[in-house]
Amino acid sequence: MSFLVVGSVAYDGIETPFGSEDKILGGSATYISITAGFFGLKPRLVGIVGRDFAVTDVQLLKSHNVDLEGLQVDNSGDTFFWRGKYHYDLNNRDTLETSLNVFEHFNPEIPDSYKDSEFVCLGNIAPALQNRVLDQVTRPKLVVCDTMNFWIEGARADLMETLKRVDVLIINDSEARELSSEPNLVRAAEKIQKMGPEILIIKKGEHGALLFTGSGIFSAPAYPLVDIFDPTGAGDTFMGGFVGWLARTGDLRDENMRRAVIFGSVMASFCVEAFGSKRLISLENGDIEKRYTEFMELSTIPEIINL
Ligand code: AMP
């Protein structure tokens, strides 16, 4: 099924306790679309890059089946640049630099050939821009949205408008608490669902993720990885895997949503194994299924025999 993603395409400088990279391909739309490409889709990417965007990166995206008709190239400046530093607690990071460059004037224009997209992924960009995307698409089957503390604090009114129009919101635990002003995640979820999204996913980093639907709560484990090198993009990769699976199957029933959460977790677990998108782009046939099976075994709960 058709799959649209709107978000940042960036160069990242990353420092973790295990090494550093000066300028590697990143951005929310990049991670989401590369990941969705593994689900037999041709993700339609809408974003903006500058004059420094390398031909090799264009080729990399194309080689992962990403449709670039909606990628704007603005030769008046450089590509959005973000620099972050992680400490041993990889759940927390410091943003050291955000140079918006051509992203500052990004106005998402959805090409006519994308307007009928059935699955719409709104990556982490200003809620006003997310709204502009929704004004342009004609018949989405599912709209999935990401956001962050920066917008919850700085663009709350716009974000509330966006939330009324999305089906699924994917955020992390601290964002859920801040958005709802509620420390308990179950109560926070109830409040957020009343803001619009019928379905909510709360990511808890190395502790897994919670899926809230109309019919209950599903708790997905996190994969107990030994090698975690760089968490950058894990959230976006989760979104690519979650929506990628739903778009591949077209099945939005509860049980399939659970599968999709596991596929999101599977893809995020690969993402963190190397810097940037390196591990993701090296995935081979069978890797994804194998890890999905490991996830199943990880959380099988045997029945009780006698109590
Ligand atoms: P994640 O680790 O999933 O939160 O996403 C990391 C990606 O988000 C990096 O590749 C950055 O380029 C990108 N990013 C960081 N800050 C912003 C921002 N303010 N707007 C859009 N994208 C951003």
Side-chain angles (χ1 to χ4, degrees), residues 5-12 24-34 45-50 52-54 57-58 61 66 68 70-72 78-82 99-103 106 124-125:
V5 48
V6 184
S8 57
V9 179
Y11 281 126
D12 293 342
I24 53 172
L25 181 63
S28 57
T30 306
Y31 283 105
I32 295 168
S33 52
I34 288 178
L45 190 157
V46 172
I48 189 167
V49 293
D52 59 339
F53 200 69
D57 288 324
V58 171
L61 291 167
V66 182
L68 296 178
L71 183 68
Q72 303 166 26
D78 283 338
T79 302
F80 173 65
F81 182 80
W82 174 80
S99 299
L100 292 174
N101 300 327
V102 295
F103 198 47
F106 176 49
N124 178 20
I125 51 174

Side-chain angles (χ1 to χ4, degrees), residues 43 58 67-68 83 87 103 108 120 132 149 181 189 192 250 253 269:
V58 171
D67 181 335
L68 296 178
R83 187 186 297 284
H87 305 277
F103 198 47
V120 177
R132 233 175 275 169
N149 295 71
S181 310
I192 294 169
R253 285 173 298 179
S269 77

Side-chain angles (χ1 to χ4, degrees), residues 132-143:
R132 233 175 275 169
V133 172
L134 295 179
D135 290 341
Q136 296 173 70
V137 289
T138 50
R139 53 181 195 99
K141 194 172 154 104
L142 195 77
V143 177

Side-chain angles (χ1 to χ4, degrees), residues 137-159:
V137 289
T138 50
R139 53 181 195 99
K141 194 172 154 104
L142 195 77
V143 177
V144 185
C145 173
D146 184 12
T147 193
M148 67 193 288
N149 295 71
F150 183 72
W151 308 120
I152 296 171
E153 289 155 23
R156 202 177 169 92
D158 287 340
L159 179 60

